[in-house]
Amino acid sequence: QVQLMESGGGSVQPGGSLGLSCAASGDRFIFYAMGWYRQAPGNERELVATMYSGGDTNYIDAVKGRFTISRDNAKNTVALQMNSLKPEDTAVYYCYARRTKFANGYWGQGTQVTVSS
């Protein structure tokens, strides 16, 4: 019974920073992948960043150089540091985790990130 608990969303001006955090509870399993999706109004949900258990990462081009994903496997947490935020980063951000490469994912409840002046 895995639950993903997110925190850190909020409102910030363009150029500012926010840090998101997600903690997995109910399971000591070290997940194959943990990361973050986001969905803006009218858009499809997109995978923003992923970190695998061995440390490899993937980012979409729109956030490369600005966002950094990190994991603490001992604590089963994943974080997303977002710098130089732009209005187009505004979205609901969702934490996710997968036990194996082909397993269904677990999802957090989502946290709102708003970037505006």
Side-chain angles (χ1 to χ4, degrees):
Q1 295 182 338
V2 174
Q3 293 188 13
L4 302 179
M5 304 295 293
E6 299 148 316
S7 62
S11 297
V12 67
Q13 295 188 175
S17 298
L18 285 173
L20 306 181
S21 183
C22 174
S25 63
D27 200 335
R28 297 290 188 181
F29 192 87
I30 299 176
F31 295 99
Y32 166 77
M34 300 186 76
W36 297 88
Y37 281 80
R38 69 183 182 186
Q39 187 169 26
N43 293 344
E44 296 182 352
R45 186 175 297 188
E46 63 180 351
L47 180 59
V48 177
T50 304
M51 179 170 278
Y52 300 93
S53 60
D56 291 335
T57 59
N58 287 325
Y59 298 91
I60 57 171
D61 288 343
V63 308
K64 287 181 178 177
R66 301 188 297 117
F67 290 11
T68 303
I69 189 170
S70 60
R71 285 178 63 170
D72 186 336
N73 290 335
K75 297 180 179 179
N76 262 356
T77 59
V78 61
L80 186 68
Q81 180 63 43
M82 304 182 293
N83 299 325
S84 301
L85 283 162
K86 303 175 180 179
E88 50 263 45
D89 295 318
T90 296
V92 178
Y93 285 71
Y94 299 89
C95 177
Y96 88 93
R98 296 169 65 188
R99 290 181 181 270
T100 69
K101 182 177 181 179
F102 301 105
N104 293 331
Y106 299 96
W107 297 87
Q109 79 284 355
T111 185
Q112 178 70 46
V113 172
T114 302
V115 185
S116 66
S117 58

